[in-house]
Amino acid sequence: MKITGLKVNHLSKPLGFELNKPVLSYRIEDCEGSFQTEAMIQLSLKPDESGVVYETGILKNAYDSETGRVTEGIDSIGWKLDVSLLPRTRYFWRVYAKTDAGEQAFSDWDWFETPKAEGEAWKAQWITSPFEKDVHPVFKGSFEVRGEVESARLYCIGLGMYEASLNGCPVGDEVLMPGFYPYDKCLQYQTYEIVPCKGLNRIEFVMGDGWYKGRYGLKWKVMRYGYAYRLLAEIRVRYTDGTEEVFGTGSDWKAVPGAIQMDSIYDGETVDMNASDPTRACPAPIAEFDGEKILHARSGTRLKIQERRSAVRVPGDKAIYDFGQNMVGWVEIHRALPKGCRLVIRYAETMRDGELYRENLRGAKCTFTYVSDGKEERIRPHFTFFGFRYIEIECDCAISAEELVGCVIHSEMDRIGFIKTSDEWINRLFENIIWSQKGNFLEIPTDCPQRDERMGWTGDIQVFSDAALYNTDCAAFLRKFQRDLALEQKSIDGSVPCVVPMGGYPLAGVTGWGDAAAVIPWQLYLHSGDIGVLEQSFESMRGWVDYITRQTEAQNTAPLWTRSQQLGDWLALDGTDVYGGTDRGMIATAYYYYSAYLTALAAKELGRREEEEAYTRLSGQIRDAFRAEYFTPAGRIACETQTACVMTLYLKLVPENAYERTCELLRKKLYEAGMQLETGFLGTPWLLPILTAIGNADMAYRLLLRREYPGWLNEIAHGATTIWERWNSIEPDGSMNRDQMNSFNHYAYGSVGAWMFRSMCGVAPDERAPGFRVLRVEPHPSRRMAFAEAELMTPLGKAKAAWKWTDKAHATFALEVPFGCRALVRLPGENEELTLTKGRYEWNLEIAPDAPDGLDAGWREALNEPSTRAAVEVNFPHAIRGIPFQYEMQTLRQLTESPFSELTKEEIEALETAVINAQNS
Ligand code: BGC
């Protein structure tokens, strides 16, 4: 038995992060037992028992017999350490646990370190730049170490951005610090472990503009948070004799013009190594800035170079290099170029006609320029990042592909979810989702990482959060985003901005985007089981719902939400504009219901009875009004789009008498569209789940596996290595979409990844006991693939689900249930639900074939399939030769019913039988 995966607030070994009452979690592996019977947590000031300052004592566990939730004792997926902690202190902790098989073990000692106390005064002053506003300063200070050092820390924040070094060596391994958050409402300092030498130490901060003071956001000018460079740094040295000495930024610090001439999130960076001028060194003035009022220890996760990739030269005259993957970060070259030599690197996601294609970067220049001083260097940008697969180099010196290092930068998040199938295209699609998540989880969840946007669009992460939480443990990352969202929300009367941080961009109060306030905390809770997430976000959830209530009341439409400005089913294909064809008031009211419903669920989990009742009542009222407005008394839906059907079915807004009709309409819409999806950002995430839920998993697979436009695999056919923003980012004729808004790295449609886990392989969290205490298992094997398997490191341990066909009618299904988990399993074709505990299971399944489509099949698709074509050829030769207006019709049935078909009733029946036989063959 092993105790592993120790985390504090979902972070491993957090140093100087905001902890409050930290939530500790761990996993139990390699044991005979199925669940934990008792546990103990010890907290020590040393990595052994001699420094223990607190222990829980051995606490026995009790579990709720119905849900399996922990009702007593320590819950391994999240246990709040409710003791007061000293500031700036490293605590060691370990876990003891025992299982029902009697095995027991201790974990290794792990650690976390507390930040400065909240509100603790800094023994340092803010300093600023003495130079003209465009000169990037380097701040320089020094301190004298008198004795033997036991430990030393640097606490600091630099605005816009900073890179620190001590005696010429980089401090820490993070980049783009101090990160990104609403700087006008909160500032986050970082903590670093440093190793000063005895005697004089030199410390330097290279400053950049970054998100804080550079060009950023759709309203470029307004987005700046401030115009001045600022730095606050405190160095604490603890000597072995127990004394401590503190040094800080102040009047003895100097500033020198640095080598960086320009940095911009969008435009790139210009570095002239000859420009740094030590003769201009002068005192750094004390800044008039009271930033300490909003200064806190950092939250979120660490931001680093996570991978390094190599490139190949693209054949042709131009010096273009291909990293083989659309990625986010920058390119480094380690070498000495001759003094004065200029190197220019232009970045792009794609190529066209032998050239970089950079039109879709819009106003972002995405260029790195470097002028050498002749010294050997790690040539790289410092305060920007690029979304790219290709670069073009302009330089008088030859640079070889081998010298190029593609640095992949993203926020730290452990990879936990893996999907593998027999279909290489689906495997690539899944990898593309992962890469789009990596590229867009850089400090904040962004829409895209390349053009002049890269903003925290709330709608995009709202629809992607479920998939994101399957792929990675990104709880700490998303919690910080929700914190930022709530901070912004307070400043705009409970409404939720469309981008977080807002930075002056005013769009807010939009359905599907604002609902990030309610949906993301709920998803976080489902996946992590950490109630602290709901505690943190409850006010924000309800603030959003109350905001909508006020809107509907003021607009006299309550409880329908039909009058505000909305973005609709963004980029859906069934409209004439970007908003899609689904009634926008219908979508807004449906989401209003959804957020009210989730707020009621959250209130229930938090034991807030009054709110639970209030939001349950409200969601009931919205549902009733929705039904009265959007369904006729006889059960016909008022808006006949794929998204309208999907959304109303998914949210259970369909009245009972309309259920069959709505399901039928959805199928019909798909058949009539030639089995093509038309859904946008809001309809797409629920399309495959709903088809699966209404018994049409095969249709879900057909949509997923479609290689033509529109569909996920169409992107793979075009060589995509990340998810596109639009179904037609590259048009069916191979040309580039001419729209201004065309990113090749946008995760919204990657929401389909969640369906792969939930429905294809069948592993899902369950409301009955979040955090996978209850694992809902409901796989849907498809004959369109030979096998599919999912592996997921849940908070309790590894879950695995894999199906594989053994012959046409039989498949095996293998399941691994983690320790401490209760799996509720529904096998294909079985009505009975099995309840299983930890272990490995395997079943042989006999699976009846899906009902064939018959004449409802799209005729194009049907004629592409040889045996169906043969059946049509014999029974309905007209359809092959061509019927007038054939191209305006979609299904085989429409062709038979056309006035030009000339088929008798009997001939149609014969055709149907032949087609069904062919489809069954
Ligand atoms: C972004 C989207 C976003 C949308 C909403 C776009 O420019 O890239 O992903 O959600 O605007 O208006």
Side-chain angles (χ1 to χ4, degrees), residues 447-448 451 453 457 460 513 567 570 681 725 741 746:
D447 55 338
C448 57
R451 67 171 177 235
E453 209 152 342
W457 284 96
D460 302 41
W513 275 251
L567 292 168
W570 186 250
F681 273 30
E725 176 170 23
M741 211 180 58
H746 232 77

Side-chain angles (χ1 to χ4, degrees), residues 545-558:
V545 176
D546 294 351
Y547 167 80
I548 305 174
T549 303
R550 291 199 297 279
Q551 292 295 300
T552 59
E553 281 165 1
Q555 294 162 353
N556 275 327
T557 59

Side-chain angles (χ1 to χ4, degrees), residues 389 695 862:
R389 170 173 168 171

Side-chain angles (χ1 to χ4, degrees), residues 386-448:
F386 307 94
F388 68 102
R389 170 173 168 171
Y390 301 94
I391 58 164
E392 183 174 352
I393 297 186
E394 198 188 299
C395 185
D396 287 341
C397 295
I399 309 268
S400 71
E402 292 72 47
E403 288 175 279
L404 305 175
V405 182
C407 300
V408 179
I409 297 173
H410 59 82
S411 292
E412 205 166 67
M413 46 187 173
D414 291 342
R415 181 78 191 277
I416 56 169
F418 301 85
I419 292 279
K420 207 172 140 215
T421 74
S422 54
D423 187 322
E424 284 308 325
W425 287 52
I426 293 296
N427 297 344
R428 183 66 237 189
L429 170 66
F430 186 70
E431 280 311 302
N432 290 6
I433 297 172
I434 300 290
W435 274 101
S436 278
Q437 181 171 356
K438 288 183 191 172
N440 285 294
F441 272 42
L442 194 154
E443 262 302 279
I444 58 164
T446 51
D447 55 338
C448 57

Side-chain angles (χ1 to χ4, degrees), residues 553-755:
E553 281 165 1
Q555 294 162 353
N556 275 327
T557 59
L560 301 174
W561 192 21
T562 50
R563 295 235 174 114
S564 298
Q565 190 192 359
Q566 301 292 1
L567 292 168
D569 187 19
W570 186 250
L571 300 185
L573 299 173
D574 53 4
T576 49
D577 49 32
V578 280
Y579 308 114
T582 306
D583 184 287
R584 281 188 257 168
M586 183 185 200
I587 299 178
T589 307
Y591 254 102
Y592 175 30
Y593 163 79
Y594 186 33
S595 283
Y597 169 79
L598 294 180
T599 305
L601 282 187
K604 184 172 175 213
E605 292 296 306
L606 293 168
R608 301 173 75 131
R609 272 291 170 76
E610 224 171 276
E611 284 96 340
E612 183 194 342
E613 273 167 33
Y615 290 99
T616 306
R617 200 175 326 114
L618 175 64
S619 61
Q621 285 160 356
I622 305 170
R623 187 188 51 225
D624 295 345
F626 184 96
R627 289 177 173 168
E629 178 74 10
Y630 296 110
F631 285 92
T632 65
R636 177 172 175 178
I637 192 168
C639 172
E640 299 198 335
T641 62
Q642 292 179 5
T643 288
C645 296
V646 164
M647 199 169 263
T648 51
L649 285 165
Y650 187 87
L651 296 174
K652 301 197 169 46
L653 286 167
V654 179
E656 221 179 295
N657 71 336
Y659 179 78
E660 278 309 328
R661 269 179 94 166
T662 311
C663 296
E664 204 38 57
L665 178 66
L666 175 59
R667 291 182 203 113
K668 183 165 162 250
K669 295 294 300 178
L670 284 163
Y671 283 130
E672 286 181 359
M675 205 42 74
Q676 294 184 24
L677 53 75
E678 294 169 345
T679 48
F681 273 30
L682 300 188
T684 302
W686 295 337
L687 175 61
L688 304 197
I690 251 338
L691 285 170
T692 313
I694 66 171
N696 294 102
D698 193 51
M699 281 192 177
Y701 277 104
R702 283 160 70 180
L703 293 175
L704 179 74
L705 293 168
R706 185 184 160 84
R707 294 184 177 192
E708 298 80 34
Y709 165 81
W712 289 274
L713 296 192
N714 179 48
E715 304 179 5
I716 311 296
H718 284 284
T721 58
T722 36
I723 303 292
W724 294 351
E725 176 170 23
R726 295 167 173 270
W727 295 118
N728 55 345
S729 283
I730 294 179
E731 299 283 4
D733 66 5
S735 64
M736 285 289 177
N737 189 312
R738 303 306 299 175
D739 201 282
Q740 282 206 342
M741 211 180 58
N742 190 25
S743 136
F744 292 96
N745 195 356
H746 232 77
Y747 52 50
Y749 290 142
S751 56
V752 71
W755 179 84

